[in-house]
Amino acid sequence: MQTVPEKEIMGHIADLFKGFADPTRVHILSLLLVNQELCVTDIAEAVEISQSGVSHQLRILKQMHLIKFRRDGKNLWYSLADDHVRTILQMGLEHAMCD
């Protein structure tokens, strides 16, 4: 039998889903799902917003532990944080397509 999570855990879960609450962030996450890894320039071109706008959204996604990055010289390459994020995103996409 499952139990209801403690309030602190429920707060973390609510914060997690806030990361998916913006269409631009979902677009970025979807790009990373398909492409595995992208730099800011590639993301900005794909979502058709400025690099500073993309950087702002990436900062939010990093704070929510939905993405990670690696440095290669002066470039930062972004990818999904882990398989949990990948699964949540895939399930959300499947659910949205069923409506």
Side-chain angles (χ1 to χ4, degrees), residues 27-73:
H27 192 170
I28 292 168
L29 291 169
S30 296
L31 288 167
L32 295 175
L33 177 69
V34 171
N35 295 290
Q36 305 295 313
E37 189 176 65
L38 292 169
C39 66
V40 172
T41 304
D42 294 336
I43 296 169
E45 184 177 305
V47 297
E48 298 178 336
I49 63 173
S50 68
Q51 287 187 19
S52 63
V54 168
S55 293
H56 172 73
Q57 297 300 335
L58 291 170
R59 190 169 30 260
I60 292 169
L61 291 168
K62 280 191 300 188
Q63 290 171 345
M64 295 180 168
H65 306 287
L66 296 174
I67 63 169
K68 61 185 178 182
F69 69 93
R70 71 174 179 87
R71 186 176 297 279
D72 182 20

Side-chain angles (χ1 to χ4, degrees), residues 3 8 17 24 29 34 41 63 87 92 94:
T3 61
E8 182 179 352
F17 284 105
T24 300
L29 291 169
V34 171
T41 304
Q63 290 171 345
T87 299
E94 288 173 18

